[in-house]
Amino acid sequence: MEMARPTTTPPLHDDGHAPAASAAAASMQAMSSSLFWGDRAVVLFPGWPGARGLGSYLLSLLFVLALAALAEALHAVSAHVAHRWRRRGAVVPALLLTAVHAARMGAAYLLMLAVMSYNGGVLLAAVAGHALGFLLTRSWAARAEELEAGHGAGAGAGRGRDRVPPSDDAAKA
């Protein structure tokens, strides 16, 4: 007595086509839900970089790294504009902040989709891009704050070394 082997293909309709739900489930089985390492990934768009070779894969990693750094830079720009225009109730800064926020969120969602390729290299490129962007933009923001503090404290700010101390005669009077 021989038992029938179970099949993995979905049952067909009378017209010979698989039902839509079964076709979607079959395609979901092909997707991996764990990280893999290799240069034959699909990042953001079908066929890109795909099987085009190591050069295309490295270019896609560079794109992901730059996109993550851009997201961090947009965050720093947003914080800088918000700090600088805090006391002014103008519409232009609000519109600028909204545009920067929209661009930042667009970059973040593209990064999320890229990381969902489940490629380890793409994940590392995204993390490295965020780290690089944080390093570069925070050092820029710190320098901008120092310059702003030096010029914004009054006419004699930053020139304390050039001032002559008062004489003893002036202190006694």
Side-chain angles (χ1 to χ4, degrees), residues 1-59:
M1 176 185 305
E2 191 173 313
M3 298 180 96
R5 297 179 102 173
T7 61
T8 59
T9 58
L12 301 177
H13 285 296
D14 293 336
D15 61 356
H17 291 93
S22 296
S27 69
M28 290 297 285
Q29 290 175 352
M31 289 180 61
S32 174
S33 62
S34 61
L35 288 178
F36 71 95
W37 301 90
D39 63 349
R40 299 192 186 275
V42 175
V43 180
L44 294 178
F45 308 108
W48 185 72
R52 293 186 176 142
L54 183 62
S56 293
Y57 176 69
L58 292 176
L59 183 65

Side-chain angles (χ1 to χ4, degrees), residues 73-150:
L74 289 173
H75 176 73
V77 166
S78 176
H80 180 71
V81 169
H83 175 72
R84 185 178 178 123
W85 294 88
R86 182 179 313 157
R87 294 188 182 116
R88 301 175 189 157
V91 174
V92 174
L95 292 176
L96 179 63
L97 282 173
T98 302
V100 169
H101 180 74
R104 180 175 165 231
M105 288 297 103
Y109 278 114
L110 281 174
L111 280 169
M112 178 191 65
L113 289 173
V115 170
M116 286 178 62
S117 70
Y118 290 104
N119 184 280
V122 172
L123 175 65
L124 291 178
V127 171
H130 276 292
L132 180 66
F134 182 86
L135 175 71
L136 295 177
T137 58
R138 295 313 188 260
S139 63
W140 167 78
R143 273 186 267 132
E145 285 179 13
E146 286 175 7
L147 288 175
E148 190 174 295

